[in-house]
Structure formats: structure tokens, C-alpha cells
Amino acid sequence: MIRVLVVDDLKLICEGLKAMFLSVEDISIVGFAHNGQDAIEQIIQEKPDVVLIDVLMPVMGGIEATKEITKLFPEVKVIVLSTFEDDPVIMDAIAAGAKGYLLKNMIAQDLASAIRAVNRGSSQLAPGVLDSLAKTAFNNSGSTNTVAAPEKVGTIDSSQKIKVKPQTSQVKSSKTKLAKKAKVKPEKPLFRYGDWAALVIGIVLLAKTDGMGHHLGHAGVFFLMLALIARPIRFLWDLPLKYRRTIGILAFATALGHAIYATINVLHSNWATIFLMSPKFQWGMWAGILSLAAMTPAAITSFNHFKKKLGKNWRKIHLLTVPSLALAIIHTILVGPHYFGQIQIEIIHHFRTYVMLLVGILVLLMRRRIFWSILGLSGLGKGKKIKT
């Protein structure tokens, strides 16, 4: 019996894997952990043969945890089970000591075969991953050798080696380049300098478009919501997580464009106008100002330079986007109906208010594990693909 420990911060994924292996006789799920630190404690208690671990997790991520596990428990085989197909992430996982790198859209039969192979001492790579790495090495080294991609799951016996014979200087150059690539953040912008382009477009162009200023505010709330639920919904749709930084910048850009538009066209460039408004609108305006202020540090520090420099404080700064969303919802509820024009049908105003409130609460709940735990009670079903 192969004892397997599953490490993933989404309980829904853990429940799905548990259901997936119920009918597999030679593989037993002996425990679950929701971050790397918890995984180390579970390994001491459960003594698994194989660890299936996710990459993105709180407290301690999968790459860092893999390094610690292979160092402290060399007899335990680690398989990274991720949604990322980026070469740098794969290189990080292999360098950390992982014996396999698989994708979460694998069916149960292939995943079980991979676990058995790794437990026997082989290495496993998801379809296309080996070919992708070989092409990267080929492009960097100038070698004419190629490595064919496996039809299903690539298997490399520990006694075998893939030999590439470039010149010595080219080998060193290739290793240097691959090492640099391994440090690159897996998240990619939509296009080169996309964050800056989004910022310029949102502020300079849209803020000056007649009638678009208020719609920019609604777009800002939408993008902020999407950025905040990018991780929780990755098992359904992983695109927002890959481009979360750009989505966050879009949220800030559209919100700032809305603020500029409102300052010029609503307040007539005089903030003292706020004190002439009704108490309801005053509270709404200040909520909007505080929302933008809370979002600003996250936007400024969204680049890799600040992430490396700030370390653990970087995440604390970006958690300010949570109260920012709450304040944005308050702003939209208190002031928002006015933006739709002079419609006096009170029932429509109430309907919009309730919808915004319910959607906002839903987004905040989706960031809590208990929400997905409740939905995950039914499991994903046997043999179904896990999409993250």
C-alpha cells in the first residue's frame, strides 16, 4: 500500500482527491495538510511514502516546503501537483527536490500511475512538460538534439539521464539562464508593460470620456472583486490567477480614473463640496476615498522588485484590498444609485443596493475556507478531472 499525503490549501481539492482514490486498492490517502508547515508536521505523524503538494499556499508555499521535506525526510517522494505550466516554476520544483511535476487536470488513472512510478524511484513529468524543458535547453544552449514529448505521463528512471552535448561554454551559459528563469514570478502580465499600459489607459483616456467616469467606478469594483477571488476560483477558472496582478492594476486604474472624473465633474475640483452634501452622500464619498487610499499601496508595490524587498510584509500590504472592497461597496451603495441618473423608482434603487451587497458578501465569503468546505462536501466525483 502506497501512503499518500495531500497538501493543498483548498479543502475542495483535498476532498476531490480523496474521492478519486477510494476505488484504487494500492494507494491510500493518509492525511491532508493546507500549507507547507502543516505538511511537515503531518509527515512526522503519518509517515507517508509520497506527498502530493500544491505550489501556491499560505504560510509556506509548495516550493519552499519541498526543499524542507526532501532535506528532513529524504525517503519521502514529493510530487508537485499544480496548475502552472511555466518553465520557471517547473525548474524551481525540480531544483527543490521534487520527483514529479503534474497538472491538476489529470484523470485518476494517470495520477495513480504517476504515484506508483515515483514510489518505485522514477521521476514523472506531465505531458508536454519534458518537451517544453528540452526546447528551453535547446534554445539556450544551441544544441541540435531534441527530446520527444511523452504521449501520456513522461517517465524517467532514476538510472537514466538525458544527455545533451553542447559545448562547455554553452552549457554554463544555459545553466545560468535557466537559473535566472527559475527566479521569475510565475504570474505573467497580459502583454509586455501591460500594467503600465492599463494604468495610462484607465487614467488618461477613460477619465476624460464624457459619461464614462461613473462606469469606471463600477468597473473598478468588478476588477477588484475578480482579483480577490482569483485564488479561490482557480479550480474552476485559473486565468484570473495567472493575470491577477494586471487585473489588480486595472482595478486601481479604473478606480483612480473614476475619482479624477468625479473630482472634476461632480465636485468641480473643490473637495469642500463634500461637506455640502447630505450625510448619506458624505459617508459614501469618504468611503470611496478611503477605498482608493487602501488600494494605492497594493498598486504601487505590485511589481516584483517590491515583492522581493518587502518579503512577508508584501502580503500584508496587499491584504488592504479586502477592506478596500468593503469600502467600495459602501460607496457604491450610498452614492451609486445617483450615478444611474434621476430615476425616481425607489424599488429599482433598492434592488441595485441589495444585489451589490449580496455580491460583495459572496466575494468576501469566497475567500474563506469554510465556504468552499461546505460546497465541497459532495466531492468532485470519481474519475473526473480536477480543474484549478
Side-chain angles (χ1 to χ4, degrees):
M1 181 68 69
I2 303 173
R3 298 171 59 82
V4 177
L5 174 69
V6 176
V7 186
D8 198 298
D9 60 328
L10 285 179
K11 189 172 181 180
L12 183 62
I13 298 298
C14 295
E15 293 290 340
L17 289 171
K18 180 179 180 181
M20 181 181 288
F21 287 108
L22 283 177
S23 60
V24 181
E25 296 180 356
D26 61 334
I27 296 176
S28 173
I29 304 296
V30 297
F32 301 97
H34 301 299
N35 59 68
Q37 187 175 340
D38 187 21
I40 294 174
E41 297 175 358
Q42 290 287 331
I43 291 174
I44 296 174
Q45 296 178 5
E46 303 296 341
K47 297 179 174 56
D49 302 304
V50 176
V51 173
L52 288 178
I53 192 166
D54 189 20
V55 173
L56 294 178
M57 294 182 295
V59 184
M60 181 186 290
I63 303 299
E64 184 182 355
T66 299
K67 291 180 182 178
E68 292 297 319
I69 292 171
T70 54
K71 179 181 178 181
L72 298 174
F73 314 98
E75 73 282 0
V76 176
K77 315 296 193 307
V78 179
I79 298 177
V80 174
L81 190 61
S82 176
T83 60
F84 293 109
E85 299 181 58
D86 307 70
D87 290 352
V89 183
I90 301 168
M91 292 295 294
D92 271 339
I94 295 174
K99 298 300 182 183
Y101 192 96
L102 307 176
L103 301 177
K104 289 184 177 179
N105 61 0
M106 297 181 66
I107 62 175
Q109 183 178 359
D110 289 342
L111 184 56
S113 298
I115 291 174
R116 295 186 189 103
V118 167
N119 187 59
R120 291 194 301 266
S122 299
S123 296
Q124 292 286 299
L125 295 176
V129 169
L130 180 60
D131 187 45
S132 176
L133 293 178
K135 287 179 179 178
T136 300
F138 173 82
N139 293 332
N140 289 324
S141 66
S143 170
T144 57
N145 292 328
T146 59
V147 180
E151 293 182 359
K152 286 191 175 181
V153 179
T155 304
I156 308 172
D157 291 336
S158 58
S159 61
Q160 296 177 336
K161 295 181 180 179
I162 299 175
K163 296 182 180 180
V164 180
K165 299 179 180 179
Q167 296 178 359
T168 304
S169 60
Q170 292 174 328
V171 172
K172 293 181 179 179
S173 175
S174 174
K175 289 182 178 179
T176 302
K177 290 179 180 179
L178 288 175
K180 290 181 179 179
K181 282 189 176 184
K183 297 179 181 179
V184 177
K185 187 180 178 182
E187 179 183 300
K188 296 187 261 186
L190 286 172
F191 44 89
R192 194 176 184 186
Y193 306 118
D195 298 333
W196 289 104
L199 190 63
V200 172
I201 292 173
I203 296 176
V204 177
L205 298 180
L206 296 179
K208 293 184 178 180
T209 303
D210 186 31
M212 283 295 295
H214 300 318
H215 297 305
L216 282 175
H218 304 142
V221 175
F222 169 77
F223 284 126
L224 184 56
M225 287 180 174
L226 186 59
L228 288 175
I229 63 172
R231 179 192 287 268
I233 66 171
R234 72 181 190 270
F235 68 95
L236 293 172
W237 186 28
D238 63 352
L239 192 63
L241 184 61
K242 292 181 179 179
Y243 303 116
R244 182 170 56 176
R245 180 174 64 179
T246 298
I247 294 172
I249 291 294
L250 281 171
F252 176 73
T254 50
L256 186 57
H258 165 70
I260 293 173
Y261 180 91
T263 300
I264 297 173
N265 296 279
V266 178
L267 302 180
H268 303 291
S269 301
N270 184 3
W271 282 42
T273 307
I274 296 177
F275 298 100
L276 301 178
M277 297 179 177
S278 67
K280 172 187 173 182
F281 280 172
Q282 284 190 41
W283 281 108
M285 293 296 289
W286 287 116
I289 293 170
L290 290 174
S291 174
L292 182 61
M295 200 188 308
T296 301
I300 294 174
T301 61
S302 63
F303 303 100
N304 290 335
H305 169 74
F306 289 102
K307 184 175 183 180
K308 294 178 182 178
K309 188 174 182 179
L310 294 172
K312 294 181 179 180
N313 292 326
W314 183 86
R315 174 171 171 77
K316 295 179 181 178
I317 292 174
H318 281 249
L319 285 176
L320 289 172
T321 54
V322 177
S324 176
L325 175 61
L327 289 166
I329 293 172
I330 293 173
H331 170 73
T332 306
I333 290 174
L334 295 180
V335 185
H338 175 71
Y339 295 160
F340 290 95
Q342 302 299 323
I343 301 177
Q344 299 300 323
I345 304 177
E346 190 173 348
I347 190 171
I348 295 179
H349 290 174
H350 285 302
F351 175 75
R352 288 168 178 156
T353 298
Y354 293 144
V355 168
M356 174 58 68
L357 183 60
L358 289 174
V359 172
I361 292 174
L362 178 62
V363 168
L364 295 176
L365 284 176
M366 289 173 71
R367 292 179 55 83
R368 310 300 301 176
R369 290 178 183 171
I370 189 172
F371 177 83
W372 297 105
S373 176
I374 293 173
L375 294 181
L377 292 178
S378 59
L380 294 177
K382 299 179 183 179
K384 291 185 179 180
K385 292 184 178 181
I386 300 178
K387 298 180 179 180
T388 68

